[in-house]
Amino acid sequence: MAASFFYIPSVNVIGQHSVKDALDFIADRGFRRALIVTDRGLAGLKVPAALCRELTQRGVGSIVYDETHPNPTTANVEAGLELLRQNDCDCVISLGGGSPHDCAKGIALVATNGGDIRDYEGVDQSKLPQLPMVAINTTAGTASEMTRFCIITDEARHIKMAIVDKHVTPLMSVNDPELMMGMPPSLTAATGMDALTHAIEAYVSTAATPITDACALKAISMIAQSLPMAVEHGDNQAAREAMAWAQFMAGMAFNNASLGYVHAMAHQLGGFYNLPHGVCNAVLLPHVQSFNSKVAAERLRDCAAAMGVPVKGMDAAQGAQACIDAIKALASRVKIPAGLNELGVKEEDIPVLATNALNDACALTNPIQASHEEIMGIFRSAM
């Protein structure tokens, strides 16, 4: 059996007030000037400005790039990179959810490797580590703050590029539940279902290991228990902290076991229609697992048990169906749209969406490989 690699940032801090620890870390490492990559929403709340003041007090200069799109683009990476070079920044801080983290990774990777972010599509296409990056998370779902995955929309091709590269792993990840308290219910639901997708896809992946299995099952259990509370009572500190831990463990799982067709297909929907990634995952998840149940029924039965389903006495097929039903019930409870029709997906686009999904790097570790016809069938079943 081939050796298994386990990727994770060298430093990870989780818990209340952990942003302060991160800023001390940045100063202690001797960085002089940081590019802070964020979005307009957080800029409007003055969060980046407060970060700049805290850095200044520690002797670290900073400049803010706050134009990151919800699905970050090649143009976002180019604009952030130009700002970084103009200001001679020696590190990058991402502040936000998956979009600022992915944009920051793209900027940091091209800063040291040169060329264009499109050059790094695929698996381990870079030669050099990215510029040192600290990822401060404000959502509980994508785990982009600690993974080697970077998803960037190529506007010319209308696709989301999956860049899976050991060199885009941040130096440090930060999960401070205090920053997550203000997340609206819809974003809490979408990012939470994204984390559930990460855990389940990692558990049924062909690259799963005992470590990723343990992380995935614990994450599934915590998400099933805590996500409804976090959505329905956003000021519940215990639920927010539980989701911060759960999404991080789901990230540990998929960062090393990779993903599957849910993400391969969701990336195409995001690139084609500019749809929210977590919602696409949530809609597709039960339909892809129904397809996967032909070969992964026992593993899906384990996932059902982790979600709190009493599976004793069920055979593998019954357990897999119970898992699919539990996913649908959770998605419904947190008010995820019922199908792709509600998101504006068009039947006539399905052939090209399926073609692009089969070329996505995440498809490689799905437990069963599908034909173009089968991927189109999954899309249609999710409509």
Side-chain angles (χ1 to χ4, degrees):
M1 183 179 174
S4 294
F5 288 81
F6 195 83
Y7 296 103
I8 189 172
S10 54
V11 182
N12 303 277
V13 55
I14 302 175
Q16 300 288 336
H17 313 302
S18 52
V19 168
K20 178 185 177 298
D21 298 312
L23 299 179
D24 290 342
F25 173 88
I26 290 166
D28 291 345
R29 292 293 294 244
F31 295 123
R32 297 175 295 99
R33 193 161 180 81
L35 175 72
I36 299 173
V37 179
T38 189
D39 56 35
R40 297 301 295 169
L42 285 167
L45 295 172
K46 305 287 194 291
V47 183
L51 209 60
C52 289
R53 288 194 298 272
E54 292 282 345
L55 286 167
T56 299
Q57 290 172 11
R58 291 165 172 80
V60 181
S62 58
I63 187 79
V64 176
Y65 175 71
D66 60 11
E67 299 292 336
T68 307
H69 292 180
N71 289 306
T73 64
T74 50
N76 288 155
V77 172
E78 289 162 8
L81 184 64
E82 181 63 25
L83 195 60
L84 178 142
R85 287 171 171 161
Q86 287 173 358
N87 290 274
D88 194 27
C89 298
D90 58 358
C91 66
V92 177
I93 300 171
S94 57
L95 174 69
S99 300
H101 299 322
D102 282 0
C103 185
K105 288 175 179 178
I107 293 166
L109 190 68
V110 180
T112 54
N113 283 274
D116 184 280
I117 189 59
R118 298 172 186 85
D119 300 336
Y120 305 103
E121 183 177 5
V123 180
D124 288 338
Q125 296 300 306
S126 70
K127 295 284 192 292
L128 300 170
Q130 66 181 8
L131 210 61
M133 175 179 160
V134 171
I136 301 173
N137 205 23
T138 64
T139 66
T142 71
S144 183
E145 81 282 357
M146 53 80 66
T147 69
R148 61 194 171 107
F149 286 70
C150 171
I151 310 300
I152 303 293
T153 297
D154 184 337
E155 296 161 295
R157 293 184 290 161
H158 298 289
I159 66 163
K160 278 190 170 187
M161 299 184 295
I163 297 162
V164 186
D165 197 307
K166 60 181 177 289
H167 287 146
V168 302
T169 304
L171 179 66
M172 181 188 206
S173 79
V174 185
N175 277 283
D176 189 336
E178 219 166 298
L179 293 177
M180 301 170 186
M181 299 293 274
M183 268 199 298
S186 60
L187 181 60
T188 302
T191 53
M193 291 300 293
D194 189 17
L196 181 69
T197 305
H198 292 155
I200 292 175
E201 286 215 287
Y203 192 70
V204 302
S205 164
T206 57
T209 69
I211 295 177
T212 62
D213 285 352
C215 292
L217 290 177
K218 184 62 176 177
I220 292 166
S221 175
M222 292 181 73
I223 292 164
Q225 289 175 28
S226 301
L227 180 58
M229 179 64 75
V231 171
E232 294 160 14
H233 303 279
D235 58 351
N236 186 297
Q237 193 169 309
R240 290 295 191 190
E241 186 144 354
M243 284 303 300
W245 281 103
Q247 71 90 33
F248 186 86
M249 286 186 289
M252 288 174 69
F254 91 83
N255 195 36
N256 295 285
S258 197
L259 294 160
Y261 284 144
V262 181
H263 274 76
M265 295 166 70
H267 289 157
Q268 313 323 313
L269 297 173
F272 220 75
Y273 303 106
N274 200 31
L275 293 170
H277 174 67
V279 174
C280 294
N281 275 341
V283 174
L284 289 166
L285 180 58
H287 301 281
V288 172
Q289 298 321 314
S290 181
F291 173 75
N292 287 343
S293 66
K294 291 180 281 190
V295 298
E298 288 187 11
R299 294 228 130 201
L300 290 170
R301 183 180 181 273
D302 293 344
C303 294
M307 292 185 76
V309 177
V311 298
K312 189 175 181 182
M314 293 185 187
D315 62 23
Q318 291 168 330
Q321 186 58 51
C323 175
I324 292 159
D325 292 342
I327 293 166
K328 289 180 178 177
L330 180 59
S332 176
R333 179 168 175 183
V334 299
K335 297 182 168 53
I336 293 291
L340 298 179
N341 270 321
E342 292 183 37
L343 302 177
V345 176
K346 298 181 176 64
E347 177 80 26
E348 60 264 29
D349 294 332
I350 286 177
V352 68
L353 292 169
T355 296
N356 292 343
L358 286 169
N359 290 326
D360 190 287
C362 293
L364 299 173
T365 45
N366 199 72
I368 179 173
Q369 290 299 296
S371 67
H372 184 261
E373 193 66 39
E374 286 170 325
I375 295 292
M376 288 197 296
I378 298 170
F379 270 124
R380 291 186 178 116
S381 71
M383 292 294 279

